[in-house]
């Protein structure tokens, strides 16, 4: 039976009937932006249009950068290549398929998923389609490459491994999903021997990339509560793997867990709800809670270093990192900079009133931001 999906932005709301009439209030009302002493300046380098944006369904079509090229797409299937330095359009193609996933750019190719369950490999040189492959259902997660394979997670809970050179299927793995899930899926993390994938059933699995067989499986979150919404435990983000073999996993209505990656042994855990992918910078782990609160934790033990509530209720994106700052977009189209060491707000710029729903792309002190309506702006931190 096909699962029923709940849009993530609505899953974060509790509907409360007001005393007067049937007014609906969000569980986390948007925090009003306040003045602060800015110590970082955001300077616009270039601004271009990249089609019609994410669409009414707010598909997570985040751009991708590879070398000096920046790639972006819209929900209708228009695909663009820009010079990352000056914004000149290198090419534009109509894929004639509805794009639904974030883009992945690596080694001369560009990978993306579609609403009709296709995966495309596109040449970075001219936008020509090298191959197309069919997977069981819609793809919302960016396809993830290793040296030989392209790992694709589709909304029905299937992980499909495709040959990077041809698109031929090598293996697949199917997880059992609950009847109600967040609108979206986790994004797998893959290295040459293993793929780590989280599912809407609250489980994380490590798959052998030679066969697709599970090597270990761990329950990250346990469904609790009476209603289906209260029992949502999606692993809707991407597991973060560090060079020393630690794995950090967030869950909705569940926990943040640190694991030893080779065997899945837990290192530490703390209760929090998040559908965002965290980032690790040095000894710190930065996490965005469901509420929009931002936490800096010691990666070694999960102890809190600082918290920032400036973006609570403002639906911040997953964090990016640039020039010692955490970078976030929000639902009103503001770009925010938070000092990674102190947790203080240090910079802000309004990009576009349509809002920012996908994680910014960063390189050094440069930030590429795609607004929901397809406005693509590049800024430098000065």
């Amino acid at each position: 039976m096909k699962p029923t999906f709940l849009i993530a932005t609505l899953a974060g709301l509790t509907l409360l009937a007001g005393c007067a009439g049937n007014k609906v209030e969000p569980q986390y009302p948007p925090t009003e932006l306040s003045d602060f002493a800015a110590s970082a300046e955001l300077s616009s380098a270039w601004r271009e249009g990249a089609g019609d944006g994410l669409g009414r369904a707010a598909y997570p079509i985040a751009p991708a950068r590879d070398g000096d090229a920046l790639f972006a797409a819209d929900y209708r299937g228009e695909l663009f290549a820009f010079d990352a330095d000056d914004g000149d359009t290198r090419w534009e193609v109509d894929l004639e398929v509805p794009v639904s996933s974030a883009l992945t750019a690596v080694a001369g190719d560009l990978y993306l998923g579609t609403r009709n369950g296709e995966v495309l490999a596109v040449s970075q040189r001219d936008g020509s389609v090298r191959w197309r492959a069919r997977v069981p259902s819609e793809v919302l997660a960016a396809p993830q490459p290793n040296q030989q394979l392209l790992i694709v997670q589709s909304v029905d809970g299937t992980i499909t491994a495709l040959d990077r050179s041809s698109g031929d299927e090598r293996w697949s793995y199917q997880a059992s999903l609950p009847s109600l899930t967040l609108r979206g899926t986790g994004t797998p993390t893959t290295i040459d021997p293993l793929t780590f994938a989280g599912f809407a059933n609250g489980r994380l699995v490590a798959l052998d990339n030679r066969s697709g067989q599970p090597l270990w499986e761990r329950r990250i979150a346990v469904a609790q509560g009476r209603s289906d919404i209260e029992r949502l435990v999606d692993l809707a983000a991407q597991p973060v793997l560090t060079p020393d073999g630690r794995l950090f996993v967030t869950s909705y209505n569940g926990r943040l867990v640190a694991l030893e990656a080779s065997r899945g042994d837990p290192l530490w855990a703390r209760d929090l709800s998040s559908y965002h992918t965290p980032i690790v910078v040095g000894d710190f782990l930065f996490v965005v809670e469901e509420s929009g609160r931002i936490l800096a934790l010691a990666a070694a033990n999960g102890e809190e270093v600082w918290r920032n509530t400036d973006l609570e209720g403002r639906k911040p994106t997953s964090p990016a990192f640039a020039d010692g700052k955490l970078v976030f977009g929000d639902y009103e189209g503001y770009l925010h900079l938070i000092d990674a060491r102190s947790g203080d707000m240090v910079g802000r710029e309004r990009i576009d009133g349509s809002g920012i729903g996908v994680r910014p792309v960063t390189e050094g002190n440069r930030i590429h931001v795609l607004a929901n309506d397809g406005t693509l702006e590049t800024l430098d931190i000065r």
Side-chain angles (χ1 to χ4, degrees):
M1 186 174 178
K2 185 177 179 179
T4 301
F5 294 97
L6 184 68
I7 294 177
T9 53
L10 296 181
L13 305 179
T14 298
L15 304 184
L16 302 174
C19 295
N22 294 320
K23 185 178 180 182
V24 174
E25 298 290 347
Q27 182 179 4
Y28 304 108
T31 299
E32 187 173 336
L33 295 179
S34 57
D35 294 334
F36 61 94
S39 58
E41 178 185 351
L42 284 163
S43 174
S44 181
W46 55 266
R47 183 182 179 97
E48 294 289 342
D52 293 330
L54 310 184
R56 293 183 62 184
Y59 289 99
I61 312 170
R65 178 168 173 167
D66 190 19
D68 62 357
L70 181 71
F71 304 94
D74 73 1
Y75 75 104
R76 296 182 184 275
E78 291 290 327
L79 182 62
F80 302 82
F82 299 97
D83 187 295
D85 292 329
D86 57 23
D88 285 349
T89 301
R90 295 184 173 180
W91 49 257
E92 174 184 347
V93 298
D94 184 357
L95 296 173
E96 299 182 347
V97 289
V99 175
S100 54
S101 81
L103 310 183
T104 298
V106 61
D109 282 324
L110 188 65
Y111 302 105
L112 55 88
T114 74
R115 297 203 297 277
N116 56 12
E118 276 192 304
V119 179
L120 275 62
V122 178
S123 169
Q124 291 187 18
R125 181 176 56 84
D126 58 9
S128 59
V129 176
R130 286 207 311 109
W131 54 255
R132 298 171 182 260
R134 179 70 63 178
V135 294
S137 62
E138 180 183 33
V139 179
L140 298 176
Q144 298 296 304
N146 64 16
Q147 292 295 320
Q148 305 294 329
L149 301 175
L150 187 70
I151 307 297
V152 181
Q153 184 160 353
S154 45
V155 298
D156 67 342
T158 301
I159 303 292
T160 306
L162 304 173
D163 187 289
R164 272 185 63 183
S165 63
S166 66
D168 293 339
E169 182 177 320
R170 295 306 181 199
W171 53 258
S172 67
Y173 171 88
Q174 175 72 55
S176 176
L177 301 186
S179 60
L180 186 69
T181 75
L182 295 183
R183 172 60 170 170
T185 64
T187 299
T189 292
T190 189
I191 53 178
D192 281 344
L194 299 175
T195 289
F196 305 97
F199 299 97
N201 58 14
R203 293 183 176 274
L204 180 76
V205 64
L207 302 173
D208 186 332
N209 280 338
R210 295 171 299 182
S211 63
Q213 293 300 307
L215 297 176
W216 56 257
E217 183 176 329
R218 294 289 180 269
R219 179 173 288 282
I220 302 300
V222 178
Q224 302 181 43
R226 295 182 178 180
S227 72
D228 285 340
I229 292 179
E230 289 174 331
R231 295 177 63 81
L232 289 169
V233 290
D234 296 53
L235 307 190
Q238 183 175 29
V240 174
L241 180 65
T242 63
D244 62 358
R246 290 174 296 166
L247 199 63
F248 299 96
V249 186
T250 60
S251 58
Y252 186 79
N253 281 339
R255 300 182 300 164
L256 165 66
V257 180
L259 304 165
E260 191 279 321
S262 63
R263 293 186 300 273
D265 296 334
L267 301 173
W268 57 261
R270 59 181 295 154
D271 293 334
L272 62 81
S273 177
S274 176
Y275 49 81
H276 290 288
T277 299
I279 58 172
V280 177
V281 181
D283 297 328
F284 298 96
L285 177 69
F286 300 100
V287 184
V288 179
E289 292 186 290
E290 170 204 353
S291 65
R293 289 186 292 264
I294 299 157
L295 302 181
L297 307 175
N301 54 23
E303 291 184 0
E304 185 174 315
V305 178
W306 55 254
R307 71 170 51 197
N308 183 298
T309 60
D310 292 345
L311 303 183
E312 187 169 5
R314 299 190 62 85
K315 301 175 186 173
T317 63
S318 294
F321 183 79
D323 194 35
K325 320 293 190 300
L326 300 176
V327 184
F328 305 88
D330 78 7
Y331 81 110
E332 285 191 320
Y334 285 94
L335 186 70
H336 304 273
L337 302 181
I338 292 177
D339 185 272
R341 290 196 172 275
S342 67
D344 295 330
M345 186 73 69
V346 294
R348 179 186 298 148
E349 186 75 24
R350 186 78 178 270
I351 303 301
D352 187 86
S354 66
I356 302 169
V358 294
R359 182 182 195 166
V361 174
T362 58
E363 180 77 20
N365 70 332
R366 176 152 285 197
I367 305 169
H368 305 287
V369 187
L370 180 68
N372 295 345
D373 69 351
T375 300
L376 182 62
E377 184 159 5
T378 292
L379 306 98
D380 293 318
I381 302 175
R382 302 189 186 281

